[in-house]
Amino acid sequence: MGRIPWRLMFAHFRRNKLRAALTVGSVFMAVLIFGFLRTFIVGMETSLAECSANRIISASRLSLFAHMPKSLEPEITELAEGKAEITAFTWYGGIYIDSDPKHYWGRFGTHPESFKKVYGPDLILEEDAWQKWTDLRQGCIIGSDLANDENLKLGDRVHLTGNIFSGEVDLEVVGIYRSKVRSFDQKTLFFNWDYLNETSKAAGGRKDCVSTYCMLLKNAADSGPLSAKIDAAFENSPHRTMTQTERAFQAQFNSMWGNLPLFFGILGGVVLLACLMVTTNTMMLNARERIQETGVLKTLGFTKGTLLVLTLTESLLLCMFGGLLAMFIVQSVDGEILMFVIASVPPSTIWLGLGIATALGLVSGFFPARLVSRLEIVEALRRRA
Amino acid sequence: MSDNALLRFQGVDKIYKRGDEELHVLAGLDMAVNAGEFLALMGPSGCGKSTILNLAGGLDTPDAGTVTFGGEDIGALSDAGRAGWRSRNVGFIFQAYNLIPVLTARQNVALPLLLTPLGSKARKEQAERALRIVGLGDRMEHYPNQLSGGQEQRVASARALATDPRLLLADEPTGDLDATSAKDILDLLQRLNRENGKTIVMVTHDPAAAERAHRTLKLDKGRLVHSTGAAH
């Protein structure tokens, strides 16, 4: 085959900087979209897979967003017959600083002691912090990602203005937790439910309500019978419950987004197809503009094989560069929260993204490479671009 | 026919098809070009001059007959075989120069040297030597669009020379040039023939250019109709 005139390929990149950049950009965007979609889906699946089999959650049967009275807690505790630890969560919502989405993260009212019993095994938090949170009515604990994002440290004040609940809460950061599992994110704030309740009640707002009751079972085998027992107990009450495993609860939460894997699959496929058409068109344009040049190269003695490799490599390089850039960005979001899902970027996503970029390069380079290799010298020299 | 022939056409037919129509561009052509000869080909448009160059350079193959170079049948070689043969034995000079616009003069001249066993440094030196031969030692890093037509043609000549081929094929090399630049190119070709012993076949419409050659063959409708001068 002889030496390949690589310098020529790079000279074309330099001469057509904008075209090369746009080609790289289109592949970058397409692979980036693919990467983020897959990251989101994998994140959902990972958080489901890591949900504890020993935990069950009771929520209102009406809606995930409907509140239940706090007064159900003693009844549920009685139904559990000592087979589970129970805690309650109340989604506070509220506004931190302003309405900018970057300040929108999870805020829950709960009971520090029962929270520790139910979720403590999944968290890394110093004993002093647990104790301080229990003792200090206005204390709160926050995840390490939240601390980084909002530049919060121990002792800092967090002021929340209620929008679901009335009044305002003024909290002190007494602990910064890290999670051992992906199903529990590190970008949430937990504070004392009693403090939440009394500030809202004092301001004439909602009171004595919770969003969910969460139970850590001593034996996972009890999850089915106890769930059925709790739901049956409230079947004819104004506050019908739906009790399910943490995994089923998470899946229900995810299903609010619809059939995302299918939707994202179609979306990603369409974007990649559009990108393929753009890159193929660009590479064909390059090849057609260089027909006479191809004739000259063949006249000088460069073989069909050499020119085929040169054309394919040009396409591959552009696409793989775009793919690499995209995967670099995708990799950087690993562990971040994307729309309530903890992003998960396993190596398979990176390899798949690079594989797609390579395939885009090969397919979009195939037609121009074929054109170049089949071109008759005499015909090529006669034609102008 | 001469025994000193470097290039020989024997009973060569070339037919082009345009739809259902067959165009006999060359019909039973016999001719020979001796080693070290400077031959001019003249004739009206469509008479087959450029086709002869294409066949001589292995860019195309005859439909009948043989084209031999140093006794070797070029038409019998594979595509890749012909490409390799071209890179070793033939230099081309085109009317439209056909330089690669994204490469500098030196890079254009060094391009065919990639097909030789020379290393990077030797290729660079060889390209610079070829550019100095054609009087462009001070224009090595210029791109084609920074050169005049005459300078571009000299770069193309340097590229043709770079691999030190035995045969130079020039297709109307002065066709796009002004009188001064045309004279410079013809002087160069004559010098390459005389001083470097290059065998040159040049297609031209210009009788003054043809006068520089040892011999001029005139063609009409694919046949030789007249010859002036003596074989070298």
Side-chain angles (χ1 to χ4, degrees), chain A residues 352-366:
Chain A
L352 206 54
L354 294 179
I356 285 172
T358 307
L360 281 173
L362 283 175
V363 175
S364 60
F366 170 76

Side-chain angles (χ1 to χ4, degrees), chain A residues 300 302, chain B residues 87 107-116 158-160 162-163:
Chain A
L300 295 179
F302 290 98
Chain B
S87 70
Q107 290 167 343
N108 263 288
V109 175
L111 205 52
L113 295 169
L114 280 173
L115 299 164
T116 67
R159 182 177 65 187
T163 54

Side-chain angles (χ1 to χ4, degrees), chain B residues 118-134:
Chain B
L118 293 176
S120 169
K121 193 178 170 198
R123 291 200 302 272
K124 188 177 175 220
E125 287 170 357
Q126 180 95 337
E128 289 172 357
R129 196 176 305 129
L131 279 165
R132 276 194 289 271
I133 288 174
V134 299

Side-chain angles (χ1 to χ4, degrees), chain A residues 3 7 15 293 298-299 304, chain B residues 79 86 101 114 116 118:
Chain A
R3 288 198 189 94
R7 184 190 295 272
R15 178 57 68 94
E293 177 182 310
K298 285 189 173 180
T299 300
K304 287 178 182 180
Chain B
D79 275 357
R86 266 198 308 277
L114 280 173
T116 67
L118 293 176

